[in-house]
């Protein structure tokens, strides 16, 4: 069983030409695709439709090869897209494949498992139900990935539902209580509850602390491998577990590191060096070429400061705080990795330390690209 | 003769409490103030009024101490403010003082000189007149600073005029020709022409290449120490030359380095290490505390790429390209310097290499802060 | 006793040239100025500094004439500025003067009274304290204006405090509870509570309904003459009561009308016609010239619709809902009045009917301008 | 031969449920669809992908009914979508059908014809080639619509190509000259040249004046029925001619009126009344229900004023001028029509008088809805 990752540039949110070419030349077999993760052109907020546009475009393309309707593909394959390519970031998508028959380089290798929760209604977002359901889905995906130890899980990518103001209003009319009536804030609650679910499943968070009352209130409670996005194009929590396992073979490995704050260059460098890159301070072009995918979560520190100096991200009525932070942290990580096709996602509530976040890298086993 | 730099946090664009306290306790004598450079809360574009607000607030405060009207201070003291504190950047201002009688630590030290061009009308922006006038003002400021060699100039900060669409329309009605009728584009022309003027004055650019026809067209022609801003609150090019000179004494020094592109972490690190900081990868808190001011120019590469990957900065109708790039490069530089109160300014036309820019640091002479 | 209103164009937020000229030619005596209300260039949100900039510029100018410090003027004269001149709206300010000795045209005339609450801390925003304090200040201002009957009050303009995320954080650290931790939402709570206070003072709202638990929840409870703004540049609720009184004389009158929803053209036309304008559909240039000031409150309907059709104002991550609604309603009102220098302000919580708002006009007594 | 128009709400840019239902119940036969015109959720600027998303969603749905690939539908059926639903505007799309066999109410009725130019490269945008090609396509579409007299044409809707900064750069590298290197400005040139082509074809503009040198310079030259949009999702100018013809039958009619400036409420009212609506000032609910589609073009006056007062639309770095103007004019028109599902489109260069624009309405023949 071998996992592989192919990254493709995205010239606009409907550009699936890279995947088409890879399939046409036989580099990817469409039936091996297990999930796609990427960054699209939109603002990454509630009214970002580029995530759905790419999802449908990919589903239409993949379905065409497999003789399936795009609606079927959308139900079967998790597409996790985060909008917002601020600053130097480059729109792209990473196609994850699993070949059950292939024998790659033997030894511990990248392992993948996917699972979903049931549908989550607007009034369930941010609640204990979302925490518990997410935890169960993580355990299921980990089992499917045949990752035996929680320490071998390096990234749990979750895509959960977002809702519009009208959805909230309808729920209220129907007598439901929502944890927030603000669509953007509701996305935050959903990400936060899902992160607690991940942490609980991986024993990073004790059960007594993975509770709804700590959601968005006790930021000392967090998972170091949870990366949660929300979007109106999904109805349940889709969970992708990535880690290392002896039951797989192949050329890829994954590792991760928490980021202590928004300018924790040391955290990025530490991970890069632990994975064998020189990173003094930047990867060489050859080294950079061995990185197949990079995932970063980050967010503006809630007290309005970074290392004691004020930032303006929380009070900006023109530019959302998530767009601010993605641009800044994206620039810093790109500086180390010599790569701008990074999955940098804001909204890191309970995903990494307070005011910080996390980084995970998938790279070829030979770090120097030789 | 001793130059000094004091940096103050800016809680809102009228917050001059830091300077007031410094004057009140005798740390700064108001008659020694020669210029102020800073970053304010606005968008950094034509409709950014935070630059003017801080200018007037400072002029009112300084004038109060000196018994002068704020209007007089505004005419006499250059205030160079760049709007836009995207991402982790922190609003602040640096007050530059010159004490003609003081004897600081002997030996080559930070030197400052200021000068201005005549008033520039909207139809002169981006023309040979702006190039020539700026070059003359740079030479005048360099002479005032008693910097003997052009290699000892490390930063030439220029603030030039910007104009609104109505100003342009009035000029057209009056039969004048403008190099652009778009207010934002006109700011770019003004920065570009001013940069060529700086380069010509410092022999970085041969006279035959410092010509209006190369403005915004031949980006192989540039200055590595020019940092140009534009704003509607000034009417001429105000020029501040910063460098090293034996004729001064004091505890501060300045150095600079070009940035090859928007993710040139190596350039930032190289400068930091040449100035004696460990920077592996980040300055320690003690080292960071010895940096008195940091200046960065940057801009989105005009072919829409960074190292071959597409960026989206040029086509974003929601978020101006300058806000994009400041956030990204600001994040990267903050990662090295462990400091977010950075003067990061977009619009680096002919200021550093194509697609890149430059960085200059003023630090205490003892790098390790001991 | 005669009240007068002078409207001046605002080319940028520091442009007080219009007032200076009026004072210099004797059209306004600076000691007669009782308040200034206007629209400035900013976004009208938390990080809008144009309100403070104009306040200080006016205070500096007026203080110069009166031999008072600007800080003294700021404390004594209410400046109520609303940021955001979307669409056709034009930045301007209206200077209200009261000449205690003058005898204008006899008969019921425009009357003005001003008063303030004590300072309001961040944790008092949106609470019963703000409701009660505002009601008391309204009664005080009404008495000062010598308006005997509540039906003769046509506009109560209130400017209350806004707070940044850092202010909120500090309050939380100090053990205070805030009604919201989101700066923008907190502004909404403050406007809402203040509106209930106005309604209570004028018997529009029964005391039992002017309670904190109805703030932002029971929109059937509202005042038809309350117009509330919030900004970081004030610390208390400044209250300006405008109405008609026999104790005054002069050439001006005021009237108002609720707006039932965001496209209630009928409401605007009804008010214009009741005041004697033809308005079929638009005022003539001569009629328009007799309008001295126009005040509009409006806001996006909270169920996401207007007359059953969806709007997108609540879910837009690029453009704040208040900027959306001001542009739309401003365009409609300008169409009737043939005038774009309108005080159109969003955030009409409990200010006029749910989903709508209100309009008030100050005009010369002879409607046709003859 | 009968033309019909069905309007559907658009909950997100992929929401084609309205059309699906209409087809499923037999209200629309998919083979009768000749074009679709609508407003989508995006910003209406270069990086607006909602237009393409809706286009593909509709093509996929229609293709499913007809057994054709979506790519085939996209080539055959013009989809003209304008992004930007500022203020009260509501996302929607109007499906135009032609039933060649049907006999509607006899007498002059709505007539439709469509045609396309060849592909237009980036360097052809804004040139004489675009003018001439557009004029030829208009004549072809008019002939297809069997509209005999140019006076009977009431709207020519054109959708032309837009290009990204990278497209422009590639053209320049290939030695081509573009009329502008700024993507947004290039859209303006394309709209302007297309408008001159429409005016020339309909004898509104004399051939000697429909020339490239007047594009964006002589605004006295314009068409009163041209409505031009641009978007990256089309490669040629798609032309839809709408008018009245005796060769058609049916229940619908169309009429139009120029708008003299951005607050020309009189123009809107005049058209409404000429079509038989009371409009004093607003249509009744019953009247409003008889309007099947409304088209408005508008733009910020280029001298920065409306009726002599300054507007801020041209200098706003946070909010594009097109978003400003659509919100304002949309609000005014909605006030008259009691309807927010309006096609309000900015960028009215040479489309109606300078600083104004135009409005066209398609309504049922019985105005009062009886």
């Amino acid at each position: 069983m071998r996992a592989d990752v192919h990254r493709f540039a995205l010239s606009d949110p409907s550009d699936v030409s890279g995947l088409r070419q890879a399939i046409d030349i036989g580099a990817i077999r469409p039936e091996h695709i297990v999930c796609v993760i990427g960054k699209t052109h939109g603002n990454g907020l509630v009214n970002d439709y580029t995530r759905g546009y790419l999802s449908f475009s990919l589903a239409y393309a993949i379905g065409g090869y497999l003789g399936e309707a795009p609606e079927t593909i959308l139900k079967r394959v998790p597409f996790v897209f985060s909008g917002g390519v601020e600053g130097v970031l480059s729109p792209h998508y990473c196609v994850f494949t699993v070949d059950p028959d292939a024998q790659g380089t033997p030894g511990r290798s990248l392992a993948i498992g996917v699972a979903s929760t049931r549908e989550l209604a607007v009034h369930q977002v941010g609640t204990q139900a979302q925490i518990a359901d997410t935890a169960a889905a993580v355990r299921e995906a980990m089992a499917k990935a045949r990752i035996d130890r929680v320490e071998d899980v390096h990234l749990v990518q979750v895509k959960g539902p977002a809702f519009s103001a009208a959805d909230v209003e309808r729920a209220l009319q129907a007598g439901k209580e929502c944890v927030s009536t603000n669509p953007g804030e509701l996305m935050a609650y959903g990400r936060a509850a899902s992160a607690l679910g991940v942490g609980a499943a991986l024993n990073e968070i004790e059960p007594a602390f993975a509770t709804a009352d700590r959601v968005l209130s006790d930021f000392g409670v967090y998972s170091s491998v949870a990366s949660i996005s929300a979007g109106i194009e999904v109805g349940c929590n889709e969970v992708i577990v990535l880690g290392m396992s002896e039951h797989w073979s192949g050329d890829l490995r994954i590792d991760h590191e928490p980021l202590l704050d928004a300018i924790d260059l040391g955290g990025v460098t530490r991970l890069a060096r632990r994975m064998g890159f020189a990173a003094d301070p930047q990867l060489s072009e050859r080294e950079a070429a061995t990185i197949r995918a990079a995932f970063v979560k980050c967010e503006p520190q809630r007290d309005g400061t970074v290392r004691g100096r004020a930032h303006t991200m929380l009070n900006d009525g023109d530019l959302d705080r998530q767009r601010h932070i993605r641009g800044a942290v994206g620039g810093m990580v790109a500086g180390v990795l010599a790569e701008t096709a990074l999955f940098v996602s804001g909204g890191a509530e309970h995903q990494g330390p307070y005011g910080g976040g996390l980084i995970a890298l998938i790279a070829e086993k030979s770090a120097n690209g030789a």
Side-chain angles (χ1 to χ4, degrees), chain A residues 7 43 152-153 161 183 324-325:
Chain A
R7 184 171 50 201
N43 60 20
D152 287 335
V153 174
H324 270 288
I325 192 68

Side-chain angles (χ1 to χ4, degrees), chain A residues 225-239:
Chain A
V225 297
S227 167
I228 324 285
S229 294
I232 53 171
E233 66 280 6
V234 294
C236 64
N237 267 20
E238 300 176 341
V239 173

Side-chain angles (χ1 to χ4, degrees), chain A residues 63-89:
Chain A
Y65 285 103
L66 297 177
E68 291 181 86
E71 293 78 4
T72 309
I73 302 293
L74 284 170
K75 287 224 175 70
R76 187 162 59 76
V77 181
F79 294 120
V80 182
F81 300 132
S82 161
V85 278
E86 292 77 15
V88 297
L89 296 174

Side-chain angles (χ1 to χ4, degrees), chain A residues 33 36 111 226 252 291 310 319 366:
Chain A
I33 297 171
V36 186
L252 300 183
I291 293 183
L319 180 53
S366 71

Side-chain angles (χ1 to χ4, degrees), chain A residues 160-230:
Chain A
F163 295 91
S164 70
D167 295 327
V168 174
E169 184 68 22
R170 268 192 296 275
L172 297 178
Q173 296 294 342
K176 303 292 185 185
E177 260 189 66
C178 297
V179 296
S180 171
T181 59
N182 179 299
E185 210 167 80
L186 201 60
M187 288 171 86
Y189 273 97
R191 289 189 299 259
S194 302
L196 294 190
V198 174
L202 300 180
N203 301 337
E204 297 178 286
I205 303 174
E206 286 186 53
F209 291 88
T211 51
D213 61 306
R214 292 180 191 268
V215 167
L216 295 187
S217 75
D218 179 358
F219 292 104
V221 175
Y222 63 86
S223 163
S224 283
V225 297
S227 167
I228 324 285
S229 294

Side-chain angles (χ1 to χ4, degrees), chain A residues 306-328:
Chain A
V306 176
R307 305 228 182 145
R309 295 223 194 278
H311 64 73
T312 65
M313 297 185 262
L314 304 178
N315 296 311
D316 194 331
D318 302 308
L319 180 53
D320 189 83
R321 57 183 73 180
Q322 306 294 359
R323 302 203 70 180
H324 270 288
I325 192 68
R326 285 189 300 250

Side-chain angles (χ1 to χ4, degrees), chain A residues 8-316:
Chain A
F8 301 104
L10 187 67
S11 66
D12 80 73
S14 69
D15 170 25
V16 296
S17 59
L19 174 61
R20 283 190 183 279
Q21 283 168 28
I23 293 176
D24 291 344
I25 64 170
I28 290 180
R29 285 179 55 187
E31 64 272 27
H32 288 170
I33 297 171
V34 293
C35 69
V36 186
I37 304 179
K39 285 296 295 181
T40 60
H41 299 68
N43 60 20
L45 305 170
V46 174
N47 67 323
D48 182 349
Y49 304 102
T50 61
R51 300 172 298 224
Y53 193 10
L54 176 56
S55 296
F56 191 74
S57 300
L58 282 168
Y60 177 73
I62 297 170
Y65 285 103
L66 297 177
E68 291 181 86
E71 293 78 4
T72 309
I73 302 293
L74 284 170
K75 287 224 175 70
R76 187 162 59 76
V77 181
F79 294 120
V80 182
F81 300 132
S82 161
V85 278
E86 292 77 15
V88 297
L89 296 174
S90 190
H92 70 282
Y93 57 101
C94 294
V95 177
F96 290 76
T97 57
V98 172
D99 184 342
D101 307 317
Q103 301 296 340
T105 314
R108 277 163 57 81
S109 302
L110 177 68
I112 306 176
V114 302
S116 289
T117 67
R118 57 182 169 159
E119 293 280 305
L120 289 161
V122 59
H123 67 277
Q124 295 174 310
V125 169
T127 66
Q128 195 67 37
Q130 193 171 24
I131 298 174
D133 286 14
T134 305
V138 171
R139 289 189 200 98
E140 181 190 338
M142 196 179 151
K144 286 183 180 173
R146 302 185 64 195
I147 301 174
D148 301 327
R149 306 181 314 155
V150 292
E151 303 86 66
D152 287 335
V153 174
H154 291 289
L155 188 73
V156 180
Q157 182 65 50
V158 178
K159 182 65 176 273
F163 295 91
S164 70
D167 295 327
V168 174
E169 184 68 22
R170 268 192 296 275
L172 297 178
Q173 296 294 342
K176 303 292 185 185
E177 260 189 66
C178 297
V179 296
S180 171
T181 59
N182 179 299
E185 210 167 80
L186 201 60
M187 288 171 86
Y189 273 97
R191 289 189 299 259
S194 302
L196 294 190
V198 174
L202 300 180
N203 301 337
E204 297 178 286
I205 303 174
E206 286 186 53
F209 291 88
T211 51
D213 61 306
R214 292 180 191 268
V215 167
L216 295 187
S217 75
D218 179 358
F219 292 104
V221 175
Y222 63 86
S223 163
S224 283
V225 297
S227 167
I228 324 285
S229 294
I232 53 171
E233 66 280 6
V234 294
C236 64
N237 267 20
E238 300 176 341
V239 173
I240 302 163
V241 166
L242 297 170
M244 295 295 285
S245 168
E246 295 81 14
H247 304 293
W248 295 63
S249 60
D251 303 324
L252 300 183
R253 63 207 164 105
I254 183 170
D255 200 352
H256 81 281
E257 183 78 13
L259 297 178
L260 301 182
D261 63 18
I263 60 171
D264 183 15
L265 182 65
V268 183
T269 304
R270 199 155 47 241
L271 175 61
R273 292 182 183 170
R274 194 169 66 231
M275 293 183 79
F277 301 110
D280 186 30
Q282 191 174 71
L283 270 63
S284 68
E285 198 178 335
R286 176 176 285 191
E287 288 177 321
T290 67
I291 293 183
R292 293 290 186 84
F295 305 89
V296 179
K297 288 296 288 192
C298 51
E299 70 164 0
Q301 199 164 300
R302 284 153 194 271
D303 66 355
T305 69
V306 176
R307 305 228 182 145
R309 295 223 194 278
H311 64 73
T312 65
M313 297 185 262
L314 304 178
N315 296 311
D316 194 331

